[in-house]
Amino acid sequence: MKIGILATGITPDELLGQHGSYADMFVQLFNQADVCFEYEVFEVRDDHFPASAEQCDGWIITGSKFNVDENRGWMQQLKELILEIDGTGKPLVGICFGHQIIAEAFKGKVEAFDGGWGVGLHSYQLSGENSFIKNDVGSFTISAMHRYQVTEKPVNARVFAESDFCKYAGLVYGDNILTFQAHPEFNVSYETELVALRKGEVIPDDTADIGLASLRQEGAATDSVQVAGWMADFIRQQA
């Protein structure tokens, strides 16, 4: 099964050599979850788009340093591709920026959150319709790195994960689109280095310190491998 990774961003230069690109992180995560996909990466932020939604069996949209309200030309083209993918019924997974631009494509509202940045390890409660999750769990924890979030969900989206900080942390559209606001592909080491790198410059000191405390506490860990299994099951079922 071939998965097209629509890369809307890339790891900061200071961390790229050690941790790889965002696209690399998805491949590494699925490998850790013993999921065997083939991959093709499309650097859509550099206007490298697939010829059509039919080019791959399933799709993933990565996170990005860009905000959806910048409405760059490649973002407009990506929203058109999102609708095209949906029209084919092929599975699509969106992460962080991907979660947000999918919501925008379906007329939801995305904006800078009044509560500020969400960084570090965040836990989310499962709710609503989540039949694609086979594990008997009520919550999961993964890395967060965002100032923007979906504040009004599209009418065709269902909530499957939420928190006090992020009301629409996980959304499902129909049977073929699954999105997460936070980052299952970010491990604790990368998230720690990223928050430390952006502290003060991008992320307010006090917010960064709270995030770093969650990452540096004894036993700090994510449920990323479990979430990768959910994503893989969702993709396989809908392909």
Side-chain angles (χ1 to χ4, degrees):
M1 186 173 183
K2 186 176 181 180
I3 304 302
I5 300 178
L6 303 169
T8 61
I10 194 166
T11 316
D13 290 343
E14 298 91 333
L15 306 179
L16 181 59
Q18 179 180 354
H19 295 282
S21 68
Y22 295 154
D24 293 333
M25 291 180 192
F26 280 105
V27 175
Q28 294 162 7
L29 177 59
F30 282 125
N31 287 342
Q32 290 173 357
D34 294 324
V35 175
C36 294
F37 289 141
E38 295 179 39
Y39 303 93
E40 184 170 356
V41 179
F42 300 88
E43 302 288 353
V44 294
R45 73 190 187 286
D46 293 328
D47 294 318
H48 176 212
F49 279 82
S52 77
E54 300 286 354
Q55 194 164 335
C56 293
D57 302 308
W59 300 92
I60 295 172
I61 304 177
T62 73
S64 178
K65 69 177 181 180
F66 299 107
N67 298 318
V68 295
D69 59 4
E70 295 176 45
N71 202 30
R72 298 174 180 231
W74 64 265
M75 296 180 189
Q76 296 172 32
Q77 186 174 352
L78 180 56
K79 284 188 275 190
E80 292 174 2
L81 178 59
I82 289 164
L83 298 178
E84 183 185 349
I85 293 171
D86 184 52
T88 68
K90 289 183 179 292
L92 170 64
V93 173
I95 303 297
C96 198
F97 177 91
H99 167 85
Q100 295 170 7
I101 199 164
I102 289 171
E104 268 223 343
F106 289 106
K107 309 304 182 185
K109 185 174 183 179
V110 177
E111 58 189 342
F113 182 50
D114 288 343
W117 281 87
V119 301
L121 297 183
H122 282 219
S123 294
Y124 303 96
Q125 298 297 315
L126 291 171
S127 60
E129 197 286 312
N130 52 48
S131 59
F132 59 92
I133 297 174
K134 304 299 189 293
N135 316 68
D136 185 18
V137 296
S139 65
F140 63 97
T141 298
I142 53 178
S143 297
M145 175 59 67
H146 64 97
R147 183 168 68 96
Y148 280 63
Q149 57 177 274
V150 178
T151 56
E152 293 180 15
K153 75 174 184 65
V155 294
N156 60 328
R158 310 186 305 277
V159 180
F160 77 87
E162 60 188 336
S163 72
D164 290 341
F165 184 80
C166 188
K167 183 177 180 180
Y168 302 124
L171 297 174
V172 178
Y173 301 74
D175 295 320
N176 65 307
I177 299 178
L178 172 68
T179 71
F180 294 82
Q181 174 57 70
H183 289 273
E185 78 281 17
F186 287 5
N187 59 34
V188 171
S189 174
Y190 175 75
E191 175 82 356
T192 302
E193 293 182 50
L194 181 61
V195 175
L197 180 67
R198 296 297 187 233
K199 177 183 175 182
E201 178 185 350
V202 176
I203 304 167
D205 286 336
D206 55 348
T207 301
D209 285 339
I210 293 170
L212 288 169
S214 73
L215 292 157
R216 291 169 174 166
Q217 65 183 334
E218 185 176 355
T222 71
D223 295 311
S224 290
V225 173
Q226 177 175 256
V227 173
W230 299 345
M231 293 191 295
D233 287 345
F234 186 88
I235 290 170
R236 287 169 173 150
Q237 289 169 9
Q238 309 309 324

